[in-house]
């Protein structure tokens, strides 16, 4: 049997190249970029993004959208790509290297990917159901698209709604929503097995296989999207929809917080930050690759693709003569499964365009699915090394994912998917990225900070930073946004001013302006040192030669702008739960999402509890010795030079005392 498996493996792929450290390596930079951007670019770019724009129609949409790209997406991806490449590991190993108390953050990212990849594959099943019926003439949804979608694609049994006392969600729950039919849908199970087989083909043998697959799963859909773009924009009255998209301005909408929240959510979810696959994939780059440039390319490629692809959708919108005035708000799936199919029916050569459209969606979906599963496989391979061959790990992961996905292949699977997706996206994913940005700039090399200013000052400053965000959003929801802002800033200053007063005066230098006095040096070490030192240490590796450097404003941005914005977005999910607490699927998704919060908090308190997820030889890599202002990579290089020359090695503590005090 093993001989047959090796023969199949040899026929389907070639082994990945090896890096200097023995880790698998991408066959080319293009393969890395295509596979990585494929994780972000999926059917959501063609169907979710246009629905968000339609609901907030007008050119003013792009103001919050572009702001979110530069304040959230690019800074987050610079962090993920840089630590993956520099620390040579998946999410858990990379964040362990950042700080051993961030292991839970890496595990939370893996958890998000493992949950999303299972139900994401079911959306591909619905696409394949449409694809199968696209060969029937006339198209079977010609007379009633809603009936076909509900009864032939989803095949969901109607639930019995739950109730509240007095019919008001503010009252108590009198009965929970029930789902009378829990049976399996045979066709859904079959297409699910086919989908997971396609995923397995794309990633079972490592990045060499994934790199080759990306040329098909991303390259072909790009060409197909361009063709669809031309066809849809040439439809009768297509210009009517395109004008709504790109030639109208409604400045009054900018005063509504909804458009800002929606734009931030769209950018955040479509770029793929927080899933861990950028970290995993970057770890297979050469150690000295241009990580910052790659991160910018990935974000810009994703956002450019969805912005251009939306022209096709709005060509269809104009053709069907729909607009926000005569159409209810569009849901995430409606454009792909209702609007597009309705337009295709009226096109000449409808069957051809139906096959073409759903094949494009399927390929884009596959390109997003296997990177998420690779997050789990990379984490397992980091832990086990070469003891278990990668194809065995990948095959096991695919089989397990398929078995778990069977719960979404039932007559209530759509409702379960919606219940899990809502909270994993709105709660878990946002919290993971908030944790990445805020913790990496708080606890990275924290020994240097409290060694310079003292533990009480360090504790007070960070208590103000975190409690200010918590108190601000709480008061903002209960009272008013203005009151929340006042409470948040008030709490921050209430803690930070005493921290500045009781902190010891650092004896190490601070850069530029901050070195003018003891007070400004305290401000630098409390407010900016961890993030700035992370930037400096990463730049030793990712910013070498002609590579782009992580800019100096990056660390303050992710700590004091990006993180608070994400925490505000995170807080919006909780009030919604109160109105859905009588539905078991939403309760299940809500509880599931909080596993991420538990992992992050528990790891901060007891990092040794997470040793089982970290490679044994890397357990202590996240414990940094006291060496203020000493750049980590340079320090390691100097130690290597000493060892080669035969000199007696100086400890990191001594090196820090000699060179870091007045670096």
């Amino acid at each position: 049997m093993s001989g047959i498996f090796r023969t199949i493996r040899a026929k389907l792929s070639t082994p990945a190249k090896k890096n200097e450290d023995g880790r698998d390596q991408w066959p080319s930079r293009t393969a890395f970029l295509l596979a990585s951007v494929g994780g972000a670019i999926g059917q959501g770019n063609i169907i979710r993004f246009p629905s968000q724009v339609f609901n907030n129609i007008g050119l003013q949409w792009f103001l919050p959208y572009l702001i979110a790209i530069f304040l959230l997406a690019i800074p987050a991806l610079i962090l993920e790509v840089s630590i993956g490449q520099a620390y040579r590991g998946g999410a858990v190993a990379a964040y362990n290297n950042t700080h051993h108390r961030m292991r839970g953050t890496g595990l939370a990212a893996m958890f998000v990917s493992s949950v999303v990849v299972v139900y994401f594959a079911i959306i591909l099943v619905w696409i394949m159901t449409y694809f199968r019926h696209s060969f029937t003439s006339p198209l079977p949804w010609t007379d009633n698209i809603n009936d076909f979608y509900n009864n032939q694609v989803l095949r969901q049994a109607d639930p019995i709604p739950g109730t509240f006392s007095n019919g008001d969600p503010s009252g108590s729950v009198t009965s929970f929503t029930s789902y009378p039919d829990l049976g399996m849908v045979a066709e859904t199970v079959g297409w699910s097995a086919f989908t997971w087989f396609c995923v397995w083909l794309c990633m079972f043998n490592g990045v060499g296989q994934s790199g080759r697959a990306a040329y098909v799963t991303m390259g072909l859909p790009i060409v197909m999207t361009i063709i669809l773009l031309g066809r849809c924009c040439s439809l009768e009255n297509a210009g009517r929809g395109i004008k709504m998209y790109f030639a109208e301005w409604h400045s009054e909408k900018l005063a509504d917080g909804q458009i800002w929240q929606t734009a931030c959510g769209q950018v955040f979810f479509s770029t793929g930050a927080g899933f861990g696959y950028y970290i995993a994939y970057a770890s297979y780059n050469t150690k000295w690759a241009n990580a910052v440039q790659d991160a910018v390319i990935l974000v810009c490629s994703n956002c450019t693709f969805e912005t251009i692809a939306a022209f096709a959708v709005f060509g269809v919108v104009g053709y069907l003569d729909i607009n926000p005035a005569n159409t209810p708000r569009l849901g995430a799936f409606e454009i792909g499964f209702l609007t597009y199919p309705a337009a295709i029916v009226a096109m000449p050569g409808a069957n051809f365009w139906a096959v073409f459209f759903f094949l494009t969606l399927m390929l884009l979906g596959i390109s997003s699915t296997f990177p998420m599963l690779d997050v789990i496989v990379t984490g397992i391979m980091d832990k086990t090394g070469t003891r278990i061959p990668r194809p065995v790990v990948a095959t096991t992961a695919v089989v397990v994912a398929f078995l778990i996905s069977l719960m979404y292949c039932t007559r209530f699977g759509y409702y379960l998917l919606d219940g899990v997706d809502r909270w994993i996206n709105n709660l878990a994913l946002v919290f993971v990225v908030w944790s990445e940005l805020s913790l990496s700039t708080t606890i990275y090399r924290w020994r240097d900070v409290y060694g310079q200013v003292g533990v009480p000052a360090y504790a007070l400053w960070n208590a103000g930073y975190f409690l200010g965000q918590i108190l601000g959003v709480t008061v903002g929801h209960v009272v008013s946004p203005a009151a929340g802002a006042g409470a948040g800033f008030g709490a921050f200053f209430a803690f930070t001013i005493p921290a500045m007063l009781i902190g010891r005066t650092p004896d190490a230098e601070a850069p530029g302006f901050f070195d003018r006095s003891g007070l400004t040096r305290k401000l630098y070490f409390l407010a900016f040192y961890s993030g700035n030192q992370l930037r400096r240490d990463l730049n030793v590796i990712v910013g070498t030669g002609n590579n782009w450097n992580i800019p100096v404003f990056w660390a303050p941005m992710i700590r004091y702008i990006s993180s608070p914005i994400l925490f505000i977005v995170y807080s919006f999910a909780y009030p919604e739960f109160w109105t859905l607490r009588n539905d078991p699927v939403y309760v299940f998704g809500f509880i599931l999402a909080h596993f991420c919060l538990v992992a992050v908090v528990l790891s901060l308190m007891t990092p040794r509890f997470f040793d089982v997820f970290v490679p044994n030889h890397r357990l202590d890599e996240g414990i940094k010795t006291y060496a203020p202002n000493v750049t980590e990579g340079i320090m390691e290089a100097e130690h290597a030079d000493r060892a080669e020359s035969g000199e007696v090695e100086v400890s990191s503590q001594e090196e820090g005392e000699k060179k870091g005090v007045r670096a």
Side-chain angles (χ1 to χ4, degrees):
M1 182 62 70
S2 61
I4 296 174
F5 185 80
R6 284 195 296 269
T7 302
I8 296 174
R9 175 183 173 185
K11 293 288 185 182
L12 292 176
S13 67
T14 56
K17 295 192 297 185
K18 295 293 183 180
N19 232 311
E20 294 178 357
D21 56 5
R23 192 173 185 82
D24 286 355
Q25 180 180 324
W26 290 101
S28 66
R29 186 186 186 191
T30 302
F32 160 69
L33 290 173
L34 277 177
S36 298
V37 81
I41 293 179
Q43 70 263 29
N45 296 81
I46 292 181
I47 60 179
R48 187 181 191 275
F49 173 78
S51 69
Q52 302 298 336
V53 179
F54 182 88
N55 296 332
N56 299 276
I57 201 72
L59 194 58
Q60 77 287 337
W61 156 268
F62 289 95
L63 182 60
Y65 178 72
L66 290 173
I67 290 174
I69 288 173
F70 288 101
L71 295 186
L72 297 179
I74 291 178
L77 258 69
I78 287 176
L79 173 66
E80 293 194 358
V81 175
S82 296
I83 64 171
Q85 180 177 308
Y87 297 144
R88 321 302 294 154
V92 175
Y95 278 114
N96 173 69
N97 262 49
T98 306
H99 196 285
H100 67 290
R101 293 183 184 271
M102 288 189 69
R103 295 168 181 170
T105 302
L107 187 64
M110 287 181 61
F111 179 78
V112 167
S113 274
S114 64
V115 172
V116 173
V117 73
V118 171
Y119 71 71
F120 189 85
I122 301 303
I123 301 174
L124 306 189
V125 170
W126 302 341
I127 292 171
M128 290 307 298
T129 303
Y130 268 102
F131 180 77
R132 177 177 75 84
H133 286 284
S134 296
F135 292 93
T136 302
S137 182
L139 292 171
W141 59 82
T142 300
D143 297 326
N144 193 331
I145 181 65
N146 287 285
D147 180 70
F148 178 83
Y149 177 56
N150 291 320
N151 297 323
Q152 297 298 318
V153 178
L154 300 183
R155 302 188 187 185
Q156 301 298 290
D158 293 333
I160 301 172
T163 58
F164 296 97
S165 59
N166 302 321
D168 187 351
S170 62
S172 59
V173 176
T174 54
S175 67
F176 286 93
T177 300
S178 61
Y179 296 88
D181 190 346
L182 306 182
M184 291 277 187
V185 179
E187 182 176 3
T188 304
V189 174
W191 280 123
S192 180
F194 171 79
T195 299
W196 285 111
F197 176 71
C198 293
V199 170
W200 178 81
L201 285 178
C202 292
M203 46 78 68
F204 78 93
N205 200 29
V207 294
Q209 181 79 3
S210 299
R212 294 174 63 184
Y215 284 98
V216 176
T217 60
M218 272 307 301
L220 187 58
I222 289 174
V223 175
M224 298 169 77
T225 301
I226 293 172
I227 296 172
L228 280 171
L229 182 65
R231 180 66 186 97
C232 294
C233 289
S234 65
L235 292 170
E236 184 180 358
N237 294 320
R240 182 166 49 195
I242 294 172
K243 181 182 177 181
M244 283 193 296
Y245 176 44
F246 231 74
E248 291 185 6
W249 175 264
H250 305 285
S251 58
E252 71 279 1
K253 289 183 177 289
L254 294 174
D256 184 0
Q258 180 68 34
I259 190 173
W260 295 87
Q261 181 188 1
T262 302
C264 289
Q266 173 60 33
V267 168
F268 183 64
F269 300 135
S270 70
T271 53
F275 285 95
Y277 53 74
Y278 289 119
I279 301 174
Y281 276 4
S283 72
Y284 299 114
N285 268 337
T286 61
K287 191 173 185 178
W288 315 105
N290 201 341
V292 178
Q293 187 181 78
D294 287 344
V296 174
I297 289 172
L298 292 171
V299 175
C300 293
S301 299
N302 174 75
C303 297
T304 300
F305 180 89
E306 66 184 8
T307 302
I308 294 175
F311 278 96
V313 173
F314 281 93
V316 170
V317 165
Y319 175 66
L320 296 177
D321 192 23
I322 61 176
N323 59 69
N326 63 22
T327 305
R329 291 180 65 86
L330 293 179
F333 300 135
E334 288 183 29
I335 282 181
F337 295 120
L338 297 176
T339 306
Y340 250 123
I344 288 172
V345 165
M347 292 181 186
N351 289 90
F352 170 80
W353 292 110
V355 170
F356 199 83
F357 174 68
F358 289 110
L359 180 60
T360 302
L361 288 186
M362 181 62 178
L363 289 173
L364 286 172
I366 290 292
S367 75
S368 298
T369 306
F370 69 79
M372 286 189 280
L373 195 64
D374 252 333
V375 174
I376 293 91
V377 174
T378 296
I380 295 173
M381 293 303 299
D382 284 344
K383 176 63 179 178
T384 61
T386 58
R387 294 198 305 272
I388 305 176
R390 185 184 184 96
V392 174
V393 174
T395 303
T396 303
V398 167
V399 171
V400 171
F402 165 68
L403 293 176
I404 296 174
S405 72
L406 291 177
M407 65 182 179
Y408 297 107
C409 299
T410 58
R411 297 270 287 169
F412 80 109
Y414 170 82
Y415 302 103
L416 179 62
L417 185 153
D418 186 57
V420 174
D421 175 73
R422 185 181 300 249
W423 305 118
I424 289 294
N425 278 312
N426 294 347
L427 279 176
L429 187 57
V430 180
F431 183 80
V432 168
V433 182
W434 175 81
S435 301
E436 292 177 350
L437 301 185
S438 59
L439 294 181
S440 63
T441 52
T442 298
I443 63 176
Y444 182 75
R445 294 183 62 165
W446 64 355
R447 295 173 188 267
D448 295 350
V449 181
Y450 64 67
Q452 288 290 307
V453 299
V455 173
Y458 175 81
L460 280 173
W461 181 279
N462 288 294
Y465 173 74
F466 289 106
L467 288 178
Q469 294 180 63
I470 296 171
L471 185 62
V473 298
T474 303
V475 174
H477 284 292
V478 174
V479 183
S480 70
F489 282 108
F492 177 71
F493 288 115
F495 281 88
T496 57
I497 291 174
M500 291 288 292
L501 294 175
I502 68 173
R504 296 199 305 264
T505 299
D507 55 9
E509 288 183 348
F513 161 82
F514 294 103
D515 204 41
R516 291 186 176 184
S517 67
L519 191 64
T520 55
R521 286 206 298 274
K522 280 195 283 186
L523 177 63
Y524 169 72
F525 274 91
L526 286 169
F528 304 112
Y529 177 84
S530 289
N532 189 52
Q533 198 61 43
L534 175 62
R535 176 190 67 85
R536 292 177 60 195
D537 291 348
L538 288 174
N539 272 339
V540 171
I541 298 173
V542 304
T544 57
N546 295 322
N547 289 355
W548 290 10
N549 281 294
I550 302 174
V552 68
F553 61 80
W554 171 77
M557 177 186 290
I558 65 174
R559 181 163 174 78
Y560 295 107
I561 298 177
S562 305
S563 294
I565 290 174
L566 286 173
F567 199 77
I568 292 170
V569 174
Y570 170 76
S571 71
F572 282 121
Y574 282 97
E576 185 182 20
F577 173 73
W578 191 249
T579 65
L580 300 170
R581 69 188 190 282
N582 68 334
D583 194 324
V585 298
Y586 290 109
V587 174
F588 172 71
F590 187 77
I591 294 172
L592 198 66
H594 282 78
F595 278 66
C596 292
L597 188 148
V598 172
V600 171
V601 173
L602 192 60
S603 176
L604 283 171
M605 296 188 298
T606 57
R608 293 295 179 187
F609 183 78
F610 293 82
D611 283 359
V612 67
F613 301 106
V614 183
N616 293 335
H617 65 284
R618 304 187 64 174
L619 284 172
D620 296 327
E621 289 180 356
I623 302 175
K624 313 294 184 184
T625 55
Y626 179 71
N629 284 336
V630 176
T631 305
E632 187 177 58
I634 293 176
M635 186 166 60
E636 291 175 357
E638 290 177 353
H639 279 274
D641 291 341
R642 285 175 176 269
E644 289 179 3
S645 62
E647 297 181 27
V648 178
E649 183 177 343
V650 179
S651 70
S652 298
Q653 173 77 25
E654 295 170 340
E655 190 77 14
E657 292 173 353
K658 289 181 179 181
K659 303 180 68 175
V661 174
R662 289 290 174 185

